[in-house]
Amino acid sequence: MSQEEHTEPDLALQHPESDARAQRLRKLADLRTANRDPFSVERVERSHRAADITNSAAAHWAMPDADRSALRFVTAGRITAHRLKGKVVFADISDESGRIQVYVRRDDVGEDLFNEFCAYDLGDYAEVTGYPFITRTGEPTLHVVDFHLISKALRSAPIGKTDDEGVVHGGLSDLEMRYRYRHLDLLANQPARDVLIKRCKVVSAMRRFLDDAGFLDVETPVLQVEAGGAAARPFLTHHNALNYDLKLRISLELFLKRLIIGGIEKVYEIGRVFRNEGVSTRHNPEFTLMELYQAYANLEDIMDLVEKMYLFICQQVNGSSTFQFGDKSIDLSLCPWRRLPMLEGIRQYAGIDPDELRTMEMAVAACKRINVSFNLETETTLGGLIEKLHEQYTQPNLIEPTFITDFPVETSPLAKRRQDNSNLARRFEIYIACQELGNAFSELNDPLEQRLRFEEQVQQRAAGDAEAHPMDEDFVEAMEYGMPPTGGLGVGLDRLALVLTGADSIRDVILFPLMRPNRRSIT
RNA sequence: GAGAGCAUAGCUCAGUCGGUAGAGCAACGCCCUUUUAAGGCGUGGGUCCUGGGUUCGAGUCCCAGUGCUCUCACCA
C-alpha cells in the first residue's frame, strides 16, 4: 500500500461530513482504532450459507427455546439492508445462495458493539454468529450473539429495496452502467446473476455432452498469420520480437480439421473468436464459438447430434425440454426437427419460385418484383442474394427448431457439394426462436476442389469483398495428406445462451461486452 | 457507417414560458427492544456529460464534441 493511500482516512477526519465516501473512510478509521480492522480478516469459517439458515430456522422451530438458542450458526455476506429500530436492529445479509435476516439487540452485545453494528453501511461484509428463530411477522431470522466486519465498502453500491411482490425499487437499471460496471449489475440485480449462471451452465452442459460422446476437447492458436474458416474481417496485431503482423482468429475450423487429418476422429473446441465488424444487440466483436468435427460422419449424423445436444443443454439449464420465447413455449424434444431446403423456404415466405432464382439476372428481377427491403446493389453473387432472401423473409418465421438445408455452394467454400446438384452445398443451419444457432457441413475433403474454392474466394476478394476467404496453402497441403469424410458443426454460444435465457441483448449474456472508453477510462 | 432519442445528487427520476436546483431511496443527527420498500422529526449532499454561442440571465435555446440506447446497413 502506498503512503498516499495511508493518508486517506486522516483526510477524511479533517473533513468528516464532506461526502459519503469520506464518512465511510472515517468509520474505517474508527474500526482500525478499535483494533477491528475489517481488512485484516483473511478467512471466514461459515457453518451455513444465508439461504440454508432460512431452511434450518424452520426446521429448528419445533425445538424447545432453550435448546434452539444454544445453537450457533455462522454465516457471512454483504449487508444489503438494515432497519434500525431503537435498541434493536435488523439487517439483511446476502451471499450467493440468497439472503438471511439477522437480528441484533443492544442488551445482547453491549452498547459499544451495538453502535458499531449500527454504523455498518450497505455494501459492507459482515460475519455473524447466532441462533435461528422466527419473528412475529414470520420471517426466519438469525439472532446474533457475535459479529464483526470482514470487509468495508467505501462507496455506496446501488442496492435497491425489494417489496412484498418482489418488485425492486431503486437498484441499477441504466444499461451503460450495467454493462460497463458489471460488478454493480451483479451485486444489485439478481436477474443478472441468474443469466450469468445460466450461460455458464450452457457451456458446461455442452462440454459434458461432447466429452461423454467421446469428443476430445482441444485448444488451437488465437494468433494466426492468416485468419480463415469464415467470412469476416479479422483484427490485426503485431509480434514485436519476430517482427511480423498477425491476425486474431475468426473461426476454429482450419486447425481443427488438421487434427482430423492427424487421426483425431472426434474433436471440439470452445473458444473466443474475433471479428472486426459492427456491434449490435446480436453482435459483439469477440464471442465464444464451439466447433466440432467428427470423422466418418455426414450431415445427417450432425443433425442427429444437434437435436440430442440441444435437448440435453436445455434440460440441464432450464430443467425441462422447453423454454420460453416471448409468450411461446418451444419444446426441443419434438424430434426430428423440421427440415426445410433454403429455396423452399424462400418460395414459402418470400413468394419467389426457385425457378426464378436460376441466374443472377433472374434473381434481381424477382427481388424487384417483390420490392425487397435490402440493397440489391451490394450483392455480387447469386448465392449471396439467395442467402439474403432467406435471412430477410424466411428466418423471422423460424420459431420452432428448423434445419435449413441446401445452401448455395458459392457461400460455402468449405462444404461438399451435393452429388445431384452441384450448385448446392451439403450444409445446414439451425434456427430456433428466429436465431441462427448453428452451421454444419459435410466437410469438403477433396484438396483439389478445396484449392479451386479458395481461388474463387480470392477472386471475390480481389473484386472488393473484404470478407472473402483467403488462400491457405498450408491447409490445402495438409488436406493432400488425406482427410477422412467428416461432419462439422459451429455454434455461437452467446446466441445459444441468449435464446435459452430469453435475454434481450447479447450484452446480457456476455459479462463484459465491448464498450467505447469513457472519460473515466482515459487517465 | 447512417438516422432518431437520451445524458440533472451515490441510485431511480421530476424540472412548466429562459428567472435562486427538486422528490423518493441511500447518507448524517435524534426518537423507537420482533422490524421488513419499517416509521416519525431534522440535516447535509450538484462540473445539470464536455466546450463554445445567444441573452441582463441558460439545466432549459443554438452550434460542436463525447458516451449510451434504439432502428437500419455488414456480420454469427
Side-chain angles (χ1 to χ4, degrees):
Chain A
M1 187 185 273
S2 73
Q3 283 188 333
E4 194 179 29
E5 280 169 305
H6 269 306
T7 64
E8 276 188 335
D10 297 327
L11 286 173
L13 286 170
Q14 288 166 24
H15 306 283
E17 304 302 332
S18 60
D19 64 18
R21 186 164 177 273
Q23 285 164 359
R24 289 175 181 230
L25 284 168
R26 186 164 50 101
K27 290 178 181 176
L28 175 62
D30 290 346
L31 285 165
R32 285 175 164 162
T33 303
N35 204 21
R36 288 172 71 84
D37 179 1
F39 295 124
S40 68
V41 176
E42 290 188 31
R43 188 161 194 278
V44 175
E45 194 108 27
R46 294 183 289 176
S47 69
H48 291 71
R49 299 190 309 163
D52 299 334
I53 295 180
T54 304
N55 301 332
S56 298
H60 289 91
W61 185 234
M63 292 173 70
D65 282 359
D67 292 350
R68 188 170 37 75
S69 59
L71 294 169
R72 288 296 176 266
F73 289 1
V74 183
T75 193
R78 192 187 286 277
I79 298 171
T80 50
H82 54 187
R83 297 175 284 279
L84 180 61
K85 194 176 181 300
K87 295 175 184 61
V88 59
V89 60
F90 293 88
D92 288 356
I93 298 221
S94 300
D95 64 16
E96 202 182 282
S97 73
R99 59 169 274 279
I100 178 68
Q101 175 171 265
V102 303
Y103 171 63
V104 182
R105 280 166 43 123
R106 193 182 70 173
D107 291 351
D108 292 339
V109 299
E111 186 163 1
D112 287 350
L113 279 182
F114 184 74
N115 289 338
E116 179 190 310
F117 192 91
C118 292
Y120 291 169
D121 290 300
L122 292 188
D124 291 355
Y125 278 83
E127 177 191 328
V128 296
T129 303
Y131 57 88
F133 76 111
I134 294 181
T135 63
R136 277 182 206 151
T137 51
E139 175 150 356
T141 302
L142 193 72
H143 190 128
V144 173
V145 297
D146 190 25
F147 64 88
H148 56 270
L149 206 63
I150 56 174
S151 184
K152 182 80 188 159
L154 296 181
R155 295 173 184 272
S156 63
I159 297 168
K161 291 187 174 187
T162 309
D163 66 20
D164 293 342
E165 278 128 35
V167 179
V168 178
H169 302 263
L172 185 75
S173 59
D174 183 88
L175 285 177
E176 178 176 1
M177 298 273 284
R178 289 188 46 214
Y179 299 148
R180 201 183 285 282
Y181 308 114
R182 186 67 87 182
H183 46 287
L184 298 181
D185 185 32
L186 290 169
L187 76 86
N189 298 320
Q190 178 65 42
R193 292 196 290 275
D194 295 340
V195 168
L196 161 63
I197 290 165
K198 272 196 178 183
R199 189 227 156 91
C200 292
K201 281 185 176 174
V202 168
V203 177
S204 69
M206 180 176 276
R207 274 218 161 83
R208 200 171 327 133
F209 181 91
L210 292 172
D211 292 344
D212 290 349
F215 283 82
L216 203 62
D217 179 359
V218 300
E219 292 181 272
T220 62
V222 172
L223 296 174
Q224 306 180 349
V225 173
E226 213 32 274
R233 290 153 69 187
F235 284 92
L236 307 178
T237 187
H238 183 80
H239 191 294
N240 289 338
L242 301 180
N243 191 29
Y244 57 70
D245 291 337
L246 289 164
K247 295 169 180 170
L248 303 189
R249 66 183 173 187
I250 57 173
S251 85
L252 315 174
E253 178 142 358
L254 301 184
F255 279 102
L256 293 181
K257 282 183 177 171
R258 290 180 207 215
L259 299 180
I260 293 286
I261 292 166
I264 311 297
E265 295 183 3
K266 289 174 151 189
V267 67
Y268 78 98
E269 177 170 6
I270 293 176
R272 201 70 61 85
V273 299
F274 309 84
R275 298 188 182 177
N276 208 335
E277 299 289 349
V279 176
S280 78
T281 52
R282 307 213 186 311
H283 302 86
N284 195 62
E286 54 179 299
F287 63 99
T288 303
L289 188 61
M290 188 286 292
E291 289 192 27
L292 68 82
Y293 295 87
Q294 180 175 353
Y296 314 116
N298 71 2
L299 209 53
E300 284 69 27
D301 295 320
I302 302 297
M303 280 186 185
D304 191 48
L305 182 148
V306 166
E307 287 176 349
K308 288 187 170 71
M309 180 167 71
Y310 282 24
L311 176 60
F312 176 79
I313 292 170
C314 186
Q315 284 168 335
Q316 295 292 310
V317 172
N318 287 334
S320 87
S321 64
T322 66
F323 68 93
Q324 282 301 120
F325 171 65
D327 54 0
K328 284 195 170 67
S329 178
I330 297 178
D331 189 346
L332 297 183
S333 68
L334 303 176
C335 300
W337 297 346
R338 181 188 185 196
R339 292 164 198 212
L340 180 67
M342 182 175 284
L343 288 172
E344 198 51 45
I346 291 171
R347 183 214 300 273
Q348 198 169 324
Y349 297 108
I352 296 178
D353 193 275
D355 286 341
E356 297 180 82
L357 297 170
R358 283 203 302 272
T359 68
M360 189 67 182
E361 291 72 27
M362 292 170 71
V364 169
C367 286
K368 284 180 177 163
R369 177 171 63 76
I370 63 164
N371 288 322
V372 291
S373 55
F374 55 90
N375 185 4
L376 284 169
E377 310 293 320
T378 57
E379 298 305 324
T380 55
T381 66
L382 176 59
L385 187 56
I386 289 171
E387 276 204 40
K388 196 79 181 177
L389 285 167
H390 159 73
E391 287 167 18
Q392 291 277 326
Y393 292 93
T394 308
Q395 182 171 345
N397 297 290
L398 302 177
I399 294 169
E400 298 294 327
T402 306
F403 293 109
I404 296 292
T405 61
D406 295 332
F407 276 62
V409 78
E410 63 260 48
T411 59
S412 313
L414 297 156
K416 287 192 180 192
R417 292 177 195 269
R418 270 183 74 132
Q419 290 296 302
D420 57 350
N421 185 340
S422 62
N423 292 322
L424 299 179
R426 285 282 288 154
R427 173 182 176 186
F428 70 77
E429 287 187 343
I430 307 127
Y431 289 85
I432 305 174
C434 308
Q435 294 286 329
E436 195 237 285
L437 292 182
N439 181 17
F441 313 143
S442 276
E443 303 293 339
L444 181 59
N445 64 340
D446 173 347
L448 304 176
E449 169 83 10
Q450 183 67 77
R451 179 180 299 282
L452 290 174
R453 299 277 193 94
F454 278 162
E455 281 169 357
E456 282 172 19
Q457 291 286 314
V458 168
Q459 282 176 13
Q460 287 181 28
R461 177 171 283 237
D465 182 354
E467 293 174 356
H469 203 289
M471 174 59 71
D472 190 331
E473 291 287 353
D474 285 349
F475 176 67
V476 174
E477 183 188 305
M479 195 179 280
E480 289 193 356
Y481 286 96
M483 173 174 157
T486 298
L489 170 71
V491 181
L493 283 183
D494 311 281
R495 289 260 177 98
L496 184 60
L498 178 87
V499 168
L500 290 178
T501 59
D504 295 324
S505 166
I506 201 138
R507 292 176 163 177
D508 292 324
V509 297
I510 292 176
L511 279 176
F512 300 99
L514 186 76
M515 304 285 276
R516 281 194 168 90
N518 65 4
R519 260 186 305 288
R520 292 181 53 189
S521 309
I522 304 166
T523 51

